[in-house]
Amino acid sequence: MIIREQLSQELEQAPESLVEEILDFCLFLKQRQQAKANNQATETKTNGILDLLERVKEIQAQVPPEEWDKLPHDGSINIQN
């Protein structure tokens, strides 16, 4: 808490115009931290999707081509109930 106390003392002694600038700077830093957190969350989601797609490719590679040829090529129009 020493740093907070020191900051508080500096704020007490600073002219009002400087206090306004300090507040603006603090709000800017807070906004930047939130943007970084949002970017990290987005990257995590993207990485998760890319990992899933990579896993799907691995599974698809294990299926022989002749099995893929058995599937309808026309969007399942020929599948009968």
Side-chain angles (χ1 to χ4, degrees), residues 20-54:
E20 287 177 17
E21 286 188 51
I22 293 169
L23 176 60
D24 285 344
F25 184 65
C26 287
L27 294 174
F28 164 75
L29 291 176
K30 185 177 179 180
Q31 190 175 39
R32 190 172 72 175
Q33 280 185 332
Q34 289 173 344
K36 281 183 183 180
N38 290 342
N39 287 341
Q40 288 175 347
T42 301
E43 284 180 22
T44 300
K45 288 179 185 177
T46 302
N47 289 342
I49 291 170
L50 293 177
D51 291 343
L52 173 64
L53 292 175
E54 187 62 35

Side-chain angles (χ1 to χ4, degrees), residues 50-69:
L50 293 177
D51 291 343
L52 173 64
L53 292 175
E54 187 62 35
R55 183 70 181 125
V56 168
K57 280 177 63 175
E58 291 171 4
I59 293 170
Q60 284 178 330
Q62 296 172 6
V63 178
E66 58 271 10
E67 293 300 317
W68 287 115
D69 291 339

